Amino acid sequence: MRRRRVIVPFFISHQGCPHACVFCDQQRISGESGSLPASDEIRDKIAAYRASAGETTVEVAFYGGSFTMLPLHQQRGLLAPLQPLRDAGQVSTIRLSTRPDALGPAVMALLREFRVSLVELGVQSMDDAVLAGAGRGHTAADTTRAFSVLGDAGIAAGGQLMPGLPGDSPNGALSSLHRLLAHNPACLRIYPTVVVAGTELAARFRRGEYLPLTLGDAVALGARLLHKALLAQVPVIRMGLQATDLLSGPHGVIAGPYHPAFRQLVESELCYDLLRRLTAGATGAVTVRAHPSRLSDAIGHQGSNRNRLGKEGIVLERLIPDVTVAPHDLAVSFSGITRKGNIMTDLHYPETEAHHG
Ligand code: SF4
């Protein structure tokens, strides 16, 4: 039986970061603020997760902020308590996130010494003009260098992208992903840009200088980005910001494609595109078979795919869970005809033109 992955998260908020990215309000985005956890707090939290999950081994992740921009002694203070737990087999991996330009020699020596397994880079875009407009303070070349130094150190590297930053476009986001995939990232996170209250982006939005992606455009673009990553066999471990009370509240997101089920909207979009293709020319009622894990994506969020296809004259009469259908496949039957398609190989999006579902 496959073991369940248990991740013990630690949120490192804005501390240590001298930058002011236009979209960033670390406290609201991570949902936590305050001081760094002390050694005993780290150990206690890991012990609590192990006990409640009934697992002997857990993974540790430091999210948010820019871990490697903390003073070295603070980085040590966070990583050192994990080492005996790693030796005892209680912690299997350590991951953290940081900026692409924050991996100098002293930091790299520390990450190697404390056996960090994976570093997620806040790439955001591979277009220098977009990075400058977002106040990131690093370039695409910094990302290329970061992948290279991490690779040389034997540390896996992942990347985070933010489609929809000022000056970005759907084609620009696709091109950024294309350039990022060339570095063989271990994983990806895709966070369409949203406008959080109190940020520089919010001021620009209020002045009419910045217009975020609509939810529909972000979902359509997200589907193309996810499809591209699937074809490259790079896992997309998150799409869209995690819903928190702060983000959902009146002082959280004020504009932009924020949706608590953003990933499902994107997966549903891929299913819609495939169903449309498979049902071309269909008349009468259509039966869809999907792997149980894919059924809700096939139906669409709140039945959206059924409704959209219905407006095009395609009546999805029955949706049947079927374990013999692979998770990336869908099968349709109508009028004695059966067709099967695969989300990866049977969807073909143009390389550059924006797609609107
Ligand atoms: S580098 Fe990270 S923590 Fe610093 S302002 Fe930018 S997004 Fe926020």
Side-chain angles (χ1 to χ4, degrees):
M1 202 172 73
R2 247 181 87 198
R3 285 171 65 96
R4 203 157 60 94
R5 289 183 67 198
V6 178
I7 298 177
V8 186
F10 293 94
F11 292 95
I12 306 299
S13 60
H14 203 61
Q15 304 152 57
C17 181
H19 296 275
C21 302
V22 295
F23 53 83
C24 178
D25 178 337
Q26 273 298 312
Q27 188 191 330
R28 286 196 184 114
I29 286 178
S30 73
E32 287 194 17
S33 61
S35 55
L36 297 173
S39 301
D40 53 347
E41 288 173 311
I42 292 174
R43 282 189 289 268
D44 289 351
K45 187 164 175 178
I46 291 169
Y49 269 67
R50 288 180 62 230
S52 77
E55 290 285 332
T56 51
T57 304
V58 295
E59 302 175 25
V60 169
F62 294 99
Y63 293 122
S66 301
F67 188 97
T68 63
M69 293 194 73
L70 293 169
L72 284 173
H73 73 273
Q74 289 185 343
Q75 296 182 50
R76 263 178 196 284
L78 293 166
L79 294 172
L82 304 176
Q83 303 310 307
L85 303 177
R86 281 206 84 170
D87 292 337
Q90 295 177 8
V91 168
S92 60
T93 59
I94 303 169
R95 65 198 296 159
L96 54 88
S97 56
T98 198
R99 292 168 54 88
D101 60 350
L103 293 168
V107 163
M108 287 307 300
L110 188 105
L111 299 188
R112 273 200 303 267
E113 179 188 344
F114 288 113
R115 297 175 287 174
V116 169
S117 326
L118 186 143
V119 172
E120 287 188 45
L121 298 166
V123 175
Q124 320 313 11
S125 170
M126 291 297 279
D127 180 329
D128 283 344
V130 171
L131 291 170
R136 286 290 291 167
H138 69 78
T139 62
D142 289 317
T143 293
T144 298
R145 258 192 304 277
F147 272 98
S148 160
V149 294
L150 288 167
D152 289 348
I155 298 174
Q160 303 178 2
L161 278 180
M162 286 188 66
L165 285 170
D168 197 18
S169 65
N171 286 346
L174 284 160
S175 157
S176 283
L177 177 62
H178 188 75
R179 290 179 64 188
L180 186 53
L181 290 174
H183 296 302
N184 291 320
C187 59
L188 291 172
R189 290 177 198 260
I190 298 174
Y191 297 112
T193 308
V194 297
V195 183
V196 175
T199 61
E200 164 63 19
L201 207 54
R204 291 191 196 176
F205 172 71
R206 289 217 166 87
R207 292 196 299 265
E209 296 166 9
Y210 171 70
L211 207 57
L213 290 170
T214 64
L215 182 60
D217 284 347
V219 169
L221 175 59
R224 295 190 61 193
L225 295 169
L226 179 59
H227 184 250
K228 208 170 167 65
L230 281 173
L231 286 180
Q233 299 189 320
V234 175
V236 179
I237 56 177
R238 173 134 211 118
M239 295 191 86
L241 290 172
Q242 183 137 21
T244 66
D245 290 345
L246 269 172
L247 279 184
S248 309
H251 303 296
V253 174
I254 58 165
Y258 175 63
H259 194 290
F262 186 79
R263 175 68 178 254
Q264 203 213 338
L265 298 184
V266 170
E267 299 272 7
S268 299
E269 183 81 5
L270 289 175
C271 287
Y272 169 75
D273 287 347
L274 184 58
L275 285 171
R276 232 176 141 218
R277 191 181 160 90
L278 292 175
T279 56
T283 50
V286 175
T287 296
V288 177
R289 289 177 189 277
H291 190 270
S293 66
R294 183 59 74 175
L295 207 62
S296 62
D297 297 334
I299 298 166
H301 188 66
Q302 297 178 343
S304 60
N305 285 353
R306 179 181 260 143
N307 298 339
R308 285 166 84 186
L309 289 164
K311 285 185 190 143
E312 296 165 23
I314 309 291
V315 182
L316 292 194
E317 194 181 63
R318 290 206 304 154
L319 286 134
I320 301 174
D322 186 340
V323 288
T324 68
V325 179
H328 285 313
D329 286 350
L330 292 175
V332 302
S333 44
F334 53 88
S335 314
I337 300 168
T338 296
R339 291 180 189 151
K340 202 171 193 177
N342 180 280
I343 282 173
M344 286 188 276
T345 53
D346 291 315
L347 285 179
H348 305 283
Y349 297 110
E351 265 302 303
T352 53
E353 274 171 77
H355 158 85
H356 296 273

